[in-house]
Amino acid sequence: MTLSDEVRIALDGKWRHVREQSRTELAAMELAYDLDLDIDAARERTLRQLHGLVPTGVPAAGFRTEHGGGGDPGMAVTGIEMLAQFDLSLMVKAGVQWGLFGGAVENLGTERHRDLIPRLIELDLVGCYAMTEIGHGSNVQHLETTATYDAETQEFVVDSPTPSATKDYIGNAAAHATVAAVYAQLVTRGENHGVHCFLVPIRDDQGQVLEGVEVGDDRHKGGLGGVDNGRLAFHQVRIPRVNLLNKYGDVAEDGTYSSPIDDVNRRFFSMLGTLVRGRISVGGSALAAAEVALSIAGRYALQRRQFGQEGEPEVLLADYRLHQRRLLPLLARSYAYRFAQNQQVSRMDRLQRATEPDAQQQRELEGRAAGLKAIMTWHASRAINESREMCGGAGYLAENRLTVLRGDIDVFTTFEGDNHVMLQLLSKELLTSYAKEVGGLDPFGMVRFVAETVADTVRERTAASQLIQRLIDAAPAGGDAHDLLDRGTQLSLFEDREQHLIETAARRLQRAAKAKGEEAFRIFNDAQDHLIRCGRAHVDRVVLEAFTAGIARCEDEEAADLLRQVCTVYALSVIEDDLAWFMAHNRISDQRAKAVTQLLNEQLAGLRPHLLTLVEGLGVPEETLGAAMLLKQ
């Protein structure tokens, strides 16, 4: 077995068998997007391909066995990620059908909705997920669509009261869906009980739009040409009472509302929390697309020559320090994020298999999924665009796939919530337990609490806690520049930065808790940039810990040594990106700061001979890259 094989095994993680199966089966299905098709033909082709996925078992994997599924959430997410290596349109359409629509039916519905699950797995029932409105995207709690109960007919009347209540950007809505999972304000007996999800038929079996339903077509977008995104508006559409997905809230025949969760806010976030799998899939799929782009750019760098000494062969792009600077840190981040994603999928799988999942662990997973989704989708956009540039004019040709990837991935930073909102969500989660603990203390007591307790709160380990602590405890104390190469020092720096940011953010926001009205909003608004930094710092720390733990699990020592080098490049590149903060807060001296770039360059030179191994370790088969320029060399 080659070194690249061992690296790939370590990177593939727990669901390696799913990845290996997908690399073979998906490659045989010829899924590459066809640029010569018009938009309608592209949509029909993607629908046919979706049907071709059913026999693989991936669509059924995410549903519970008692509902006709495979009972393997980790396999479902991994399978969706693997689709992203081949065609992001197909990945998105699969995610809408089996992740969002199917997930809503299974996780928000009850026994009266179970018969729908085998049908939607087999694509006998094609659905869409109608949450986002023109006027409300991330602020789901204030959607305008209403579902008002009529006790006389035992029906809900679904209505879009304003133009801004129109559901928009809805995948599967423009052409293929027959039923929509519609999020609307539930009103009964004159009282609004907040946002709930309803199953609303939008087309008949012949594909004709039903009375009262208005369907629009978003047509051409910046990418994802195989996905039929559309608009939905409802004009007094009546649906049976039982079409309410009623796990968290139900309406009796006489209009009486009941819920197992009394608090409307907690009920709302419990509903959204069940759909965390979609957020995890978006981040992981974006990362898979980045891996494709970096595989193309990495192989191109090992083929393309440019300039050099007179009379000598021109120099490979991969041998230029500037090119190494552009390519290798992005490769290192892809490795780092893959280990973090593997860890996250394992946690999700464990929680979703549990009969009664731990509520605190569920909240932590939701917050972390939001942060990782933001960071990984931003990374994908950057990595794909940089890969396009690193391949010069050839990279701009559609036949070399990078421009298609760039167009398709762009919206992933918006999927499942705007990335800046996602990082604020994570930061609020990080501050919640802290705020509950220190909120009632006097200033002196708060300072004492910060000094003695917050460290334990923030240092809750995300992976291999004993290993991480041993590395930190063993870190050199001298402050020498080369100490920055020590993993314990790196972990300590990441952890210390996160602690400081959370402590100072908590102090700033405590003032808002005592203020009222506009003043409270001003304090919060002024702290938003601080919250974003908290979220970023937390993700950086989580990722470094996951990478460190992943290396410890690698059984091949040569592969582990190479992964340690990659991890060091990841850590140093993050430190370099935020060097101003480390210096301004006296975490790194001027002398040590000057050494960061030099140390990083030395590490890049050390990785250069292993570039092909690292590219192959990503696990994107060369024959599936779909870049014509690599075949012409």
Side-chain angles (χ1 to χ4, degrees), residues 178-209:
T178 57
V179 176
V182 177
Y183 284 78
Q185 304 286 349
L186 189 159
V187 179
T188 182
R189 292 186 169 180
E191 184 177 355
N192 188 335
H193 293 277
V195 172
H196 290 64
C197 190
F198 303 80
L199 295 179
V200 182
I202 61 174
R203 290 184 176 88
D204 62 22
D205 292 339
Q206 286 71 47
Q208 298 300 308
V209 176

Side-chain angles (χ1 to χ4, degrees), residues 516-538:
K516 295 181 179 179
E518 292 184 7
E519 178 64 11
F521 175 77
R522 185 192 64 78
I523 293 171
F524 168 76
N525 199 38
D526 288 347
Q528 278 190 309
D529 59 332
H530 198 142
L531 292 175
I532 295 296
R533 291 191 77 110
C534 282
R536 283 183 175 273
H538 177 76

Side-chain angles (χ1 to χ4, degrees), residues 64 118 233 282 327 363 386 389 413 542 597 605:
R64 290 187 276 277
V282 166
L327 176 61
R363 281 186 58 189
E386 190 71 31
E389 292 187 20
T413 59
V542 165
T597 297

